[in-house]
Amino acid sequence: MGLEGVEPSSFMADFLAGCGGYAVVDGGLATELERHGQDLNDPLWSAKCLISFPQLVRRVHLDYLEAGANVIIGASYQATIQGFEAKGLSIEEAETLIKRSVEIACEAREIYLQRCAKGYWDFLDSPKIDRHPVLVAASVGSYGAYLADGSEYSGNYGASVTLETLKEFHRRRLQILANSGADLIAFETIPNKLEAQAYVELLKEENIDIPAWFSFSSTDGTNVVSGDPITECAKIADSCSQVVAVGINCTPPRLIHGLILSIRKVTNKPVIIYPNSGETYNGETKQWEKTRGETEEDFVSYVGKWRDAGACLFGGCCRTTPNTIRAISRALFDKSS
């Protein structure tokens, strides 16, 4: 949206300036699809809806744009060629669905912008509803997300999984997403240094010409879930010129402030944060569990503190909703306008 051809070094600075200094990222996709009645107890998770209910994926993207999101993330987190093949699809069908995840998000953006131009939402109580630009990010989930065995929450892939294993697993999907029409690639819920290094090498080897962000997950506020220090992981992201933001997602809100400070010690790249609602996912039981009684209101109350610590992009991950994103937008722009 007006940022085509911009060098990675200025891409995010230009985007943030266009948004008013801070940007709002969308919230949970899979858990929102479940709220609309979809059963995602499936190895494909949210990517299942690319096959069965793409119109609902578009609707959820649109809900987040209406709520004030400047960035929407496509439904490719768990969309892999290997995963679709396991469901009986051909390689060609799998590749089409991966690309379709971005096309659906782009369609939602186009509908949203058309409605903004017509004043469709003038009656809504929503801050800066016509704020531009809006970016579409293509999601890349970890190798553990494809395994769907909970290892994305531990980062423990075993000794047989090497750097080359990870590169070859991700290579073709990255090629597809880089040429899908997305504005940038979101490498999400990265659980260990090894996978971050695989992404850096792939971005260089494949001459990927669109920017990326790297977002890690943590359960202790100091390390990523594998036990690798967040500072070491952020340094890997910082080393790559295509990476335009570094941050944290799929992590309890109470841990975010310290993680922002740690990341800021090793990189000057913008910091992106989009935590979970405060609940924790149990990879063994496949259930969400309450954590220290944190609520959506607690989540939003942290936003000012996160901004003061140096974060620039704010959103939500699992179990957050358009209401969460609307509240984040209000917290940011009502106080900084």
Side-chain angles (χ1 to χ4, degrees):
M1 300 304 293
L3 293 173
E4 297 83 354
V6 175
E7 287 297 314
S9 59
S10 60
F11 175 94
M12 190 56 73
D14 292 349
F15 171 63
L16 290 169
C19 294
Y22 306 102
V24 180
V25 183
D26 64 7
L29 176 60
T31 49
E32 191 67 6
L33 292 168
E34 288 175 328
R35 196 173 69 85
H36 284 286
Q38 295 301 295
D39 179 5
L40 302 185
N41 185 16
D42 188 281
L44 291 176
W45 202 38
S46 57
K48 174 185 175 183
C49 287
L50 294 173
I51 302 171
S52 62
F53 214 158
Q55 63 270 34
L56 181 58
V57 177
R58 187 186 305 110
R59 174 183 169 182
V60 172
H61 287 321
L62 199 52
D63 286 345
Y64 280 120
L65 289 170
E66 176 187 343
N70 300 108
V71 185
I72 52 174
I73 304 171
S76 55
Y77 178 83
Q78 218 143 307
T80 64
I81 294 171
Q82 299 89 335
F84 285 130
E85 282 189 296
K87 288 289 187 180
L89 278 69
S90 69
I91 292 176
E92 293 76 14
E93 289 169 330
E95 293 186 353
T96 296
L97 284 169
I98 291 169
K99 185 174 183 181
R100 186 75 185 119
S101 69
V102 173
E103 293 171 347
I104 290 168
C106 289
E107 290 164 7
R109 173 173 63 184
E110 188 60 30
I111 293 168
Y112 169 76
L113 294 177
Q114 288 175 355
R115 289 180 176 180
C116 285
K118 295 176 182 177
Y120 184 88
W121 282 314
D122 283 350
F123 64 91
L124 288 178
D125 178 22
S126 187
K128 301 188 179 182
I129 196 69
D130 59 348
R131 195 163 57 249
H132 301 300
V134 172
L135 298 182
V136 169
S139 173
V140 173
S142 69
Y143 178 67
Y146 154 69
L147 296 177
D149 63 357
S151 60
E152 67 184 299
Y153 301 104
S154 70
N156 181 11
Y157 296 157
S160 64
V161 176
T162 66
L163 184 69
E164 291 303 317
T165 304
L166 295 174
K167 285 164 63 175
E168 291 315 304
F169 172 78
H170 287 295
R171 190 180 302 275
R172 181 58 186 146
R173 175 169 57 159
L174 180 58
Q175 292 169 341
I176 295 165
L177 292 173
N179 292 284
S180 64
D183 298 299
L184 72 165
I185 306 288
F187 293 97
E188 303 188 276
T189 324
I190 306 172
N192 54 43
K193 286 196 301 182
L194 186 68
E195 200 146 22
Q197 187 60 44
Y199 292 149
V200 167
E201 293 187 15
L202 276 177
L203 286 169
K204 294 176 181 176
E205 289 173 13
E206 298 300 321
N207 295 312
I208 301 302
D209 62 359
I210 63 173
W213 81 54
F214 278 22
S215 183
F216 300 88
S217 58
S218 174
T219 56
D220 65 7
T222 303
N223 307 298
V224 299
V225 294
S226 66
D228 295 331
I230 184 62
T231 49
E232 293 182 14
C233 294
K235 284 179 183 177
I236 292 172
D238 185 67
S239 72
C240 181
S241 62
Q242 289 300 115
V243 175
V244 297
V246 184
I248 298 290
N249 75 293
C250 210
T251 295
R254 71 179 187 280
L255 302 179
I256 295 296
H257 182 262
L259 289 163
I260 295 170
L261 296 177
S262 295
I263 292 169
R264 294 275 292 164
K265 289 178 182 177
V266 297
T267 183
N268 291 320
K269 295 180 190 286
V271 174
I272 178 171
I273 56 101
Y274 48 118
N276 289 337
S277 62
E279 295 164 284
T280 301
Y281 186 72
N282 185 319
E284 294 182 359
T285 65
K286 299 188 184 299
Q287 298 292 323
W288 287 94
E289 301 170 350
K290 292 287 185 182
T291 305
R292 289 194 178 185
E294 286 183 315
T295 66
E296 186 170 89
E297 290 74 20
D298 295 328
F299 180 113
V300 174
S301 72
Y302 290 137
V303 170
K305 186 178 181 183
W306 296 336
R307 179 185 58 198
D308 293 344
C312 298
L313 298 101
F314 307 80
C317 199
C318 300
R319 307 283 277 189
T320 59
T321 70
N323 284 339
T324 317
I325 300 312
R326 186 174 287 108
I328 290 172
S329 184
R330 286 178 174 146
L332 285 172
F333 293 103
D334 286 356
K335 294 179 180 178
S336 60
S337 57

